[in-house]
Amino acid sequence: MRIYDTLTRQKHEFTPVDKTVRLYVCGVTPYAPAHIGHAMSYITFDVVRRYLDYLGFDVEHIQNFTDIDDKLIERASAEHKDVSALAESHIEAYFRDMDSLNIIRAHKYPRATQEIPKMIEVISKLIENDFAYDSGGDVYFRVERAADYGKLSHRRLDGMRAGARVGVDERKEHPMDFVLWKSAKKGEPFWTSPWGPGRPGWHIECTAMALHYLGETVDIHGGGHDLIFPHHENEIAQSEAYTGQKPFARFWMHNGLLQIDRQKMSKSLSNMVTISESIETYSADALRLTMLGSHYRVPNAHSEELLAAAERSVSRLSNAAALDGPTHDSADQLDVSSYKEEFLVAMDDDFNTPNALAVLFGLARDINRASDQGKSIQKAQQMLLELGRKILGLRLEVETEKVSEELLARIESLIEMRGQLRKERDFTGADKVRDELTELGVTLTDSPTGTLWNLTDRE
């Protein structure tokens, strides 16, 4: 298996140090409902986790909650709520959203507010080794002490400028020095520390939690592309300064960002779509399919049209998996060995889910053809479900939609007509009837015992 590493900008053979794969994925700041951009990232790393499990690795999966942060404090103040209560309510909603998407839960979800002692320990050592300094109760990391600062984002320190996400402060020795500990402000939550009351900076949280739960080097560190700089860049600098320059992560994986109708999803454009809103209209499988239909490293397009098309595509897989077929020993078997091999080849190539999905749709097509020919399809169906469910996390359940009696009668009449034409070997006529059913939004799957249909789209 080869994985693309953001640090080296190359694919490398993945071989963990031992049988345990240490996977750390940056979690959410629970100040608002999770949106479909979050869904894209956590579906990506859910598939990574599932595939590693499938290959037989022992995976230790950690994902944090940043439950103390400027955004949380500001939102709690605006809503006249306690910061911890606001965070807890969104954490509960987050788990409901992830469960609805069939995302396997991480083994641990450490929270920043519960890891303060480890953060203080790390910061203290950084100060002791001259990598950080106290400035009026705020503690900053000295970026000039990190000789390779900028290596993940491939930037040079002398070309960087303090911008919107990197605060400019006269108390800093260098404009790009970043905060490790923030002194307390009136009315804000705080913890005691050697530098006075305060709270941790954003970047130190993940370093402390990764060190605490996974050790000095993780195998895979994941997150969205927008986290490369400054968050992950700063994680590397402070972590490797703490451990004596031991590599913080062996592989850095970053998923592309989501675009809504060809625009980047953002609050300023008022195009944020929450996961719960999306699931009200479309199935989790459809949402997964739109995310996995593009390679995880590229920007992903999202639109109502794509989701509607994904629902139809999911039905093709679900119906193929649900077909009845002959079970007697004399029936020819549809050979499935090549499908599994092609699927695993795709996944071994940096988790190439678009190619893996193409294999599944090819398998579904051949299941339908084999069923028409009276071949046994049970093994093929088992393979479809095994790869689709275990690795891609698709539920592949057949759902029926309520339709009017008039439409139902028309569909059943057309299906009966098509069946009669097929018996008469008038396949041209049968195909025309099938085309008419397709225009009604009906997807058909045939078997020797009958025809299954599903209404997937209707104007």
Side-chain angles (χ1 to χ4, degrees), residues 333-334 336 363 367 376-384:
Q333 288 279 351
L334 173 60
V336 297
L363 177 56
I367 286 173
S376 178
I377 56 175
Q378 276 73 34
K379 289 185 178 180
Q381 289 173 312
Q382 290 171 5
M383 182 64 63
L384 176 62

Side-chain angles (χ1 to χ4, degrees), residues 416-429:
E416 184 179 353
M417 182 188 303
R418 176 175 172 272
Q420 185 60 39
L421 290 170
R422 282 160 57 87
K423 286 181 181 179
E424 297 170 359
R425 306 191 66 77
D426 182 359
F427 297 112
T428 300

Side-chain angles (χ1 to χ4, degrees), residues 212-231:
H212 185 180
Y213 292 98
L214 296 176
E216 294 180 335
T217 300
V218 301
D219 291 293
I220 299 174
H221 194 311
H225 187 272
D226 56 334
L227 296 181
I228 294 175
F229 186 88
H231 186 46

Side-chain angles (χ1 to χ4, degrees), residues 150-170:
K151 64 182 179 181
L152 181 67
S153 56
H154 302 278
R155 305 181 184 193
R156 292 176 57 87
L157 183 58
D158 56 11
M160 296 181 188
R161 293 292 182 269
R165 298 193 69 183
V166 182
V168 178
D169 194 320
E170 293 179 355

Side-chain angles (χ1 to χ4, degrees), residues 136-198:
D138 292 329
V139 180
Y140 294 97
F141 183 89
R142 286 189 172 98
V143 293
E144 290 183 302
R145 285 276 285 128
D148 53 2
Y149 186 75
K151 64 182 179 181
L152 181 67
S153 56
H154 302 278
R155 305 181 184 193
R156 292 176 57 87
L157 183 58
D158 56 11
M160 296 181 188
R161 293 292 182 269
R165 298 193 69 183
V166 182
V168 178
D169 194 320
E170 293 179 355
R171 292 175 294 177
K172 294 182 181 181
E173 295 178 355
H174 187 282
M176 296 304 295
D177 289 350
F178 56 89
V179 68
L180 301 173
W181 185 264
K182 296 183 177 184
S183 57
K185 295 180 181 179
K186 185 178 180 180
E188 292 185 352
F190 66 87
W191 289 261
T192 58
S193 80
W195 320 285

Side-chain angles (χ1 to χ4, degrees), residues 335-351:
D335 183 20
V336 297
S337 57
S338 62
Y339 296 102
K340 183 173 183 178
E341 181 179 349
E342 290 176 20
F343 186 97
L344 298 183
V345 166
M347 293 300 295
D348 280 343
D349 182 17
D350 193 29
F351 306 98

Side-chain angles (χ1 to χ4, degrees), residues 52 59 123 142 250 277 309 343 371 398 401 440 454 458:
L52 292 171
V59 181
I123 295 170
R142 286 189 172 98
R250 298 177 60 245
E277 288 171 341
F343 186 97
S371 178
V398 177
E401 180 179 343
L440 293 174
N454 190 34
R458 185 166 78 253

